[in-house]
Every structure is written in C-alpha cells, then in structure tokens.
Amino acid sequence: MNTRGGKDAGGGAAASSGSAPSKGTPAGGGAPGGAIALDDVRFHQCVRLSKYDLERTITFIPPDGNFELMTYRITDNVNLPYLILPFVQEKRSRVEVSLKIIANYDKGLAAKNVVIKIPVPKNAAKAVMQTVSAGRATLEPQQHCLVWRIRRFPGKMEHTLVGEVELASSIQEVKWVKPPIAMDFQVPGFTSSGLRVRFFRVQEKSNYKALKWIRKVTKAGTFAHRV
C-alpha cells in the first residue's frame, strides 16, 4: 500500500509550488487508542525525518512532478475490501463453478473495473453461464481462466456467478491442482489500513496560490483467494 504525493493533478496529495513546505499528519483507528501499527515505513528524501520523529508530522518541500512520499506495510487489523465465497468442483467432463463476492466497504463507495479470474483446467473448451448477477463472464483459454468483469461494484452489495465449464477429452489423467482466484480492482475513497490524513497544510511565502487536495484509492496488488 502506498501513499503518494505530488504537485499536480496526477498525485495523491498535491501542492502547486516546488518551494512551499507542506505538512501533514497521518492518523487512524484500527488499533487500540486509535493508532495503527505500520511496518517498513519509508519516506522520500524530501521529508524532514527529525520533525517526524519529534512531532509525528510529515513535513517536506516537494520536488517537481509526481513522487512517492511514503510507503508502509501493515499486517494487523486489515479491512479487506471483498469477501469471496467460492465453490469449484471438477468432474469427469466438466467443472462446476459457483462464486459469491461481497463488498465490505461503505454504501457510498463504488469500485471500478473489477476483474475476477477463476482458474479452470487447461483442457477447458466451453463455458455455460447459468447466473451472472452483474457484468459479464467469459472463458479465456489462453489464461486458463473464467474471467468475470464488473464495471462498477457498489459497497455492501453482493454478486453471484454460477456456471459450468465443459472439458475437452484428454489422454493424460493428471490431477488438476487448483490455483487461487485472483482479483483486480480500484476502490476510490477506501483504505484497507484505516490510515487517513488528519490535516494537510501548505506554507507558501511567495504569494503563489497553492492547490491542495487529497484523494484516497485502494488498488489491488496481489489479491488472491485459495479455492
């Protein structure tokens, strides 16, 4: 998970001047006392580390262009955006697939471009969908996957896919080892860590009007669910 900073519309937190010091305080409520345990925290070289050690505020003079201000890793109290309930069973000439996916984020949020890849055997020949509650599902033999695409997935909603994948006859009787189900998505306004920016201040001394904005978005990195 990354926190990105920049000076134009391409960044996650933007300021319009390369000489104006910026200050922000991250906060959260996942652990006791409202604190969030962050591991492997790394800052861009523009951050004044002594200020952060004393005040726990991130003060920096941003360089030109987009840049990565801070990276971190969390392992406890992670709020996963999706709950996946799969059923994949291989039979002699077909694979039965049933999948329910539930969005755990708030109703006011919506994910974009959700892609779920459900693995199938290499000799998969044809897919017959019985239920697809949203989006579209197609068999993509090159990827050995049944690919389910949903353009928009609102929070607290659930969607279901039920179908069968017909298998071509094969001489080799090799047991199929099921790979995990993989997902790709973007959820604007959501953070799995619960980390948030408490305030963002730009100190500009040259009478240049600085543009301040903060945007949160969670993107899938390696998001997989074992079948």
Side-chain angles (χ1 to χ4, degrees):
M1 299 179 65
N2 295 332
T3 298
R4 295 183 179 273
K7 298 201 304 168
D8 56 22
S16 298
S17 172
S19 60
S22 300
K23 181 186 290 186
T25 299
I36 294 176
L38 303 180
D39 299 321
D40 299 334
V41 179
R42 296 183 181 183
F43 292 107
H44 189 273
Q45 61 185 6
C46 68
V47 174
R48 298 174 181 174
L49 297 179
S50 59
K51 196 89 168 178
Y52 178 77
D53 291 338
L54 290 174
E55 303 177 8
R56 280 299 184 261
T57 60
I58 303 172
T59 303
F60 60 98
I61 298 178
D64 293 333
N66 295 333
F67 68 100
E68 195 168 69
L69 177 65
M70 172 186 175
T71 64
Y72 59 91
R73 179 174 59 86
I74 62 169
T75 55
D76 297 325
N77 302 306
V78 179
N79 183 19
L80 296 178
Y82 294 104
L83 173 64
I84 302 175
L85 303 173
F87 174 81
V88 179
Q89 184 176 25
E90 183 183 12
K91 296 191 175 181
R92 182 176 296 273
S93 61
R94 70 184 189 277
V95 173
E96 296 179 353
V97 178
S98 175
L99 178 67
K100 178 183 288 187
I101 180 168
I102 304 171
N104 288 328
Y105 40 89
D106 293 339
K107 287 183 178 180
L109 305 178
K112 300 186 297 183
N113 303 321
V114 178
V115 179
I116 305 105
K117 295 183 177 180
I118 307 163
V120 297
K122 292 183 179 181
N123 60 329
K126 181 182 177 182
V128 178
M129 295 295 103
Q130 299 163 3
T131 302
V132 181
S133 62
R136 189 178 175 191
T138 57
L139 176 64
E140 299 193 6
Q142 301 86 353
Q143 300 187 51
H144 310 302
C145 286
L146 188 64
V147 181
W148 185 12
R149 292 181 172 86
I150 304 172
R151 292 184 61 185
R152 188 176 183 274
F153 201 143
K156 302 304 180 185
M157 291 283 292
E158 63 178 55
H159 289 304
T160 303
L161 178 147
V162 178
E164 290 185 354
V165 176
E166 298 178 4
L167 304 178
S169 58
S170 176
I171 299 176
Q172 296 180 343
E173 293 292 337
V174 179
K175 183 177 176 58
W176 178 46
V177 179
K178 301 174 185 176
I181 294 172
M183 285 190 67
D184 189 25
F185 55 82
Q186 292 187 25
V187 189
F190 173 78
T191 57
S192 290
S193 65
L195 193 72
R196 67 183 186 276
V197 177
R198 183 168 290 162
F199 72 88
F200 181 51
R201 183 183 304 143
V202 177
Q203 299 174 350
E204 177 57 64
K205 298 181 180 180
S206 60
N207 296 322
Y208 185 86
K209 188 175 181 180
L211 175 64
K212 297 192 300 179
W213 58 274
I214 295 172
R215 179 171 64 94
K216 299 184 296 182
V217 60
T218 292
K219 298 181 180 180
T222 303
F223 192 93
H225 183 93
R226 294 192 179 276
V227 179

